[in-house]
Amino acid sequence: MDSLKEHTIEKAITLLSLGGIVALPTETVYGIAAIATNDEAVAKIFALKKRPNFNPLIIHVNNLEMAFAFGIWSKTAIKLVENFWIKKHKPLTIVVQLKKESPLSNLATAGLDTIAIRIPNHPLTLKLLEKLNKPIAMPSANKSSCLSTTTAKDVMNTFPIGLSMIIDGGHCSVGIESTIIDMTTSEPIILRPGGTATEEIEEYLKKTIKNHNDFSVIKSPGLLKRHYSPSIPLRLNALVSHAEEAFLGFGKDAPHSINLNLSVKGDLTEAACNFFKMLRTLDDPTEYKGIAVMPIPNYHLGIAINDRLKRAATKR
Ligand code: TXA
Ligand code: MG
């Protein structure tokens, strides 16, 4: 790592240690980080995002020792860690029981007796975690219920003030948030579809995994019905666009009238990577009255995209 990057990381560590909040790149989306044991710093994140206090944050670590220090891990949960974190470096957040003596901020865990934890995969953020040697609490770097950010510029436009620093790590390679899996129940449950396809987890565990939609109670307090919303209305499964609508396409058969194409090849991984960035580009009330989006196939990362689209289209 070059000395400029080293210097940037040192500066971020100093600011975090002083109770500041810093925007960091991950492979999924940008996040706003605070040291997870510092209640006051964590409170700043909630205030800046205008996030409801009942909605807990994901704790980010860079090694298993730290992950095991805060949570109680079943054999199957450890199996997931070994494959998806260590071997494949995939975006998977695992919910486990919180250890009673945990020093983590109660605000970060929203007072729950469980904890959501993941190892992010971005060289700058991994380096920062290694040097800091403390866990960070880090939600996505967007205002609560709005579109997530996948570039440092989008973070800057969203939060021109309030952040101690933004680390620019380029465009996020995955582009959509981590998959969240609940391992505190007798059978695993996907709480949020995301950058690790459910099919891949099912194949690895050799069983079908239920989605939280199959249950009546909402287990993930952050899974609000309306979320990830642009400022103008969204119309789903559109085959044509109406007057004054922006048109977001998918696949090689998209009509000429589209403004942008999530993936000309029809590749769902590429579409996920472009998703938030393209929605942000088209979210321009001075140009358009709404955004029409073509149908996205509902498998693999298409499931995560459709989950975001459904919430984004839910009326205020
Ligand atoms: O990819 C990601 O996961 C990004 C990057 C920055 O790491 N982070 C992210 O954080 O998406 P956030 O705060 O936007 O979403 C975290 C979700 C929320 O829906 C929250 O309710 C849920 O995780 N969550 C956190 N702790 C939980 C817990 N103990 N049980 C169930 N859900 C939990
Ligand atoms: Mg979020």
Side-chain angles (χ1 to χ4, degrees):
M1 194 160 287
D2 64 42
S3 64
L4 182 64
K5 283 184 183 151
E6 296 264 0
H7 178 73
T8 306
I9 288 170
E10 287 301 336
K11 192 171 148 195
I13 288 175
T14 306
L15 291 167
L16 286 169
S17 304
L18 290 168
I21 58 176
V22 173
L24 298 177
T26 81
E27 80 281 33
T28 57
V29 296
Y30 274 74
I32 304 178
I35 293 181
T37 48
N38 184 334
D39 250 322
E40 266 175 56
V42 171
K44 288 182 194 164
I45 299 182
F46 278 84
L48 186 67
K49 278 182 61 93
K50 297 195 169 55
R51 181 178 177 110
N53 279 356
F54 59 77
N55 191 4
L57 307 183
I58 295 173
I59 306 302
H60 294 67
V61 298
N62 73 318
N63 61 54
L64 296 188
E65 210 184 323
M66 223 185 259
F68 292 163
F70 303 122
I72 302 168
W73 295 74
S74 67
K75 268 198 187 134
T76 318
I78 293 173
K79 228 178 122 179
L80 287 179
V81 160
E82 282 167 352
N83 187 59
F84 290 97
W85 290 2
I86 306 302
K87 197 166 154 206
K88 295 189 165 162
H89 308 285
K90 296 280 280 193
L92 183 66
T93 295
I94 304 178
V95 177
V96 295
Q97 289 295 330
L98 179 67
K99 272 197 187 158
K100 277 217 172 66
E101 64 278 20
S102 148
L104 297 173
S105 149
N106 271 325
L107 187 53
T109 57
L112 298 177
D113 56 6
T114 57
I115 178 182
I117 189 159
R118 87 176 188 100
I119 297 185
N121 183 22
H122 190 289
L124 295 177
T125 296
L126 284 175
K127 191 77 189 168
L128 179 142
L129 279 166
E130 185 193 319
K131 289 201 164 179
L132 179 69
N133 199 27
K134 284 179 185 159
I136 55 176
M138 182 158 68
S140 51
N142 53 277
K143 296 217 173 102
S144 197
S145 91
C146 297
L147 294 173
S148 296
T149 50
T150 52
T151 64
K153 198 170 151 218
D154 284 341
V155 178
M156 181 109 90
N157 290 336
T158 309
F159 300 110
I161 50 170
L163 293 168
S164 310
M165 182 178 173
I166 299 172
I167 294 190
D168 189 345
H171 191 280
C172 300
S173 58
V174 175
I176 207 154
E177 294 87 345
S178 60
T179 299
I180 305 181
I181 189 164
D182 185 357
M183 297 303 292
T184 64
T185 41
S186 54
E187 289 296 320
I189 305 167
I190 300 288
L191 297 180
R192 175 176 75 182
T196 298
T198 305
E199 290 95 324
E200 199 181 330
I201 305 173
E202 289 181 323
E203 197 177 304
Y204 177 68
L205 292 182
K206 298 198 175 57
K207 61 161 117 187
T208 52
I209 301 175
K210 289 203 164 162
N211 193 285
H212 82 98
N213 292 332
D214 305 335
F215 300 83
S216 54
V217 256
I218 296 187
K219 276 285 306 232
S220 215
L223 293 177
L224 308 172
K225 268 204 167 138
R226 184 178 161 272
H227 203 153
Y228 310 108
S229 293
S231 64
I232 50 179
L234 207 60
R235 192 166 62 81
L236 308 186
N237 298 316
L239 298 176
V240 292
S241 60
H242 298 158
E244 297 180 70
E245 246 181 1
F247 197 10
L248 183 57
F250 174 83
K252 63 176 174 15
D253 299 324
H256 288 300
S257 57
I258 58 162
N259 297 78
L260 292 170
N261 197 326
L262 286 166
S263 170
V264 180
K265 302 190 285 226
D267 178 318
L268 289 165
T269 303
E270 183 182 35
C273 178
N274 287 328
F275 180 69
F276 282 117
K277 194 170 177 212
M278 289 191 173
L279 270 186
R280 276 183 174 272
T281 306
L282 298 180
D283 185 13
D284 181 355
T286 62
E287 283 272 338
Y288 309 113
K289 286 210 170 122
I291 306 170
V293 187
M294 277 183 70
I296 311 293
N298 204 36
Y299 59 89
H300 250 261
L301 295 202
I303 295 178
I305 298 173
N306 283 318
D307 167 79
R308 309 297 185 272
L309 281 173
K310 216 167 59 200
R311 288 176 212 282
T314 298
K315 290 204 176 66
R316 272 155 243 245

